[in-house]
Amino acid sequence: MAIINRTPDSFHDRGRTFALDKALVAVENALAHEADWLDIGGVPFAPGPPVGVEEEIDRVVPVIEGARSRTDAVISVETYRPEVARAAFAAGADVLNNTSGLHDPALADVVAETGATLIITHSLADPRTPYPRPRYDDVVTEVAEFLRRRVALAEKHGVPADRIIIDPGHDLNKNTYHSLELTRRLPEIAQIGHPLLVAVSNKDFIGETLNRDQQDRVEGTLATLVVSVLGGARIVRVHDVTEARQAVNMVESILGWRPPAYVRHNIV
């Protein structure tokens, strides 16, 4: 899953793809480097200045329309607003990526009505709201229980179980120790039974663990992706598509899921 942010304040690209033409170039680059999925967002998860509903729609819809005209790949919209989700689905999106933990159950209603798919992510704070010094007795157990409750809520609102994906929300209202433990015990989250997404790319827990600045976390990200796939992740949300594609392909081949691109060594 390639990240396409049409935001001026995204935590990693810092607005490099905020202009519409830049966002569409990012779409084309992601597809050229074998992304299977495009995740398009107009408002970051982190606290920041308010963005109106219409402004968010104006940010994401043209990118979704442009992406859909270029590819049949999966397209998701990252939003916490039902109105934005509805507009995104009308523009060609397939999936709602909701990082607010289904804070607004009306999001599930929109997904159910449109036949889309829903990603439910663990987070505790209201959208765009600080959550200092998060505390858990057992972060993995509590994240798993939260996800189970929110999956049940989505199903109650009409979203079929086979159209629900879960994400433990690395770094979202969690500190570095929490995110490391989630990664180490990821099989416990995978056991919930829904397809598991991890969004770990260049995150602060990697930077703090390795003492690396924001733009120098590729190697740490790749190591975390490999461990995550081995732990049950089946979708990985990334900034650096080329590097992630190679790492994931190699893991899949080692596990016997993907044949080598070619075989000549000691054959010919």
Side-chain angles (χ1 to χ4, degrees):
M1 176 195 281
I3 300 167
I4 312 292
N5 285 320
R6 194 170 181 209
T7 59
D9 53 348
S10 51
F11 95 101
H12 182 68
D13 59 45
R14 305 296 183 186
R16 286 196 301 272
T17 56
F18 182 47
L20 179 57
D21 61 336
K22 300 292 187 182
L24 293 175
V25 168
V27 165
E28 292 172 351
N29 287 340
L31 295 171
H33 291 98
E34 301 184 73
D36 303 300
W37 186 321
L38 305 171
D39 187 50
I40 296 166
V43 179
F45 174 85
V51 178
V53 171
E54 291 305 318
E55 182 177 355
E56 186 180 356
I57 290 173
D58 288 344
R59 289 181 182 184
V60 299
V61 163
V63 185
I64 293 168
E65 290 175 338
R68 181 50 73 213
S69 71
R70 290 163 167 80
T71 182
D72 292 327
V74 178
I75 297 175
S76 54
V77 60
E78 182 190 338
T79 187
Y80 58 88
R81 288 168 162 155
E83 305 93 329
V84 178
R86 193 178 299 279
F89 295 145
D94 310 289
V95 181
L96 168 59
N97 183 11
N98 178 231
T99 57
S100 69
L102 212 56
H103 171 81
D104 184 348
L107 290 163
D109 294 329
V110 175
V111 171
E113 290 166 13
T114 56
T117 294
L118 174 63
I119 300 169
I120 300 175
T121 303
H122 176 274
S123 60
L124 298 176
D126 291 343
R128 305 284 278 167
T129 304
Y131 195 93
R133 300 184 65 83
R135 297 179 183 276
Y136 301 90
D137 291 329
D138 183 320
V139 64
V140 178
T141 298
E142 291 175 46
V143 166
E145 289 175 351
F146 175 99
L147 290 171
R148 288 190 180 96
R149 289 196 306 270
R150 296 302 170 134
V151 164
L153 177 62
E155 292 177 336
K156 183 178 179 181
H157 282 255
V159 182
D162 63 359
R163 295 211 310 267
I164 296 175
I165 296 165
I166 56 173
D167 175 357
H170 287 77
D171 272 12
L172 305 188
N173 310 140
K174 303 170 188 72
N175 64 31
T176 288
Y177 286 109
H178 297 145
S179 293
L180 290 171
E181 185 164 0
L182 272 171
T183 308
R184 185 165 58 250
R185 295 170 58 191
L186 201 60
E188 295 175 47
I189 305 297
Q191 286 172 2
I192 294 172
H194 294 273
L196 176 59
L197 179 151
V198 294
V200 300
S201 184
N202 296 301
K203 285 198 168 177
D204 286 340
F205 81 98
I206 294 172
E208 291 185 4
T209 299
L210 301 178
N211 191 24
R212 288 292 182 268
D213 293 334
Q214 176 62 240
Q215 303 302 319
D216 191 24
R217 299 174 182 175
V218 173
E219 296 88 347
T221 294
L222 296 180
T224 308
L225 292 178
V226 169
V227 171
S228 296
V229 173
L230 292 174
R234 294 298 174 261
I235 307 164
V236 293
R237 184 177 183 271
V238 299
H239 300 96
D240 304 294
V241 175
T242 304
E243 295 85 348
R245 176 84 270 174
Q246 295 296 305
V248 170
N249 283 2
M250 193 67 201
V251 174
E252 291 178 346
S253 293
I254 291 168
L255 295 175
W257 301 345
R258 172 188 293 269
Y262 62 89
V263 179
R264 287 199 296 263
H265 181 71
N266 283 343
I267 297 294
V268 178

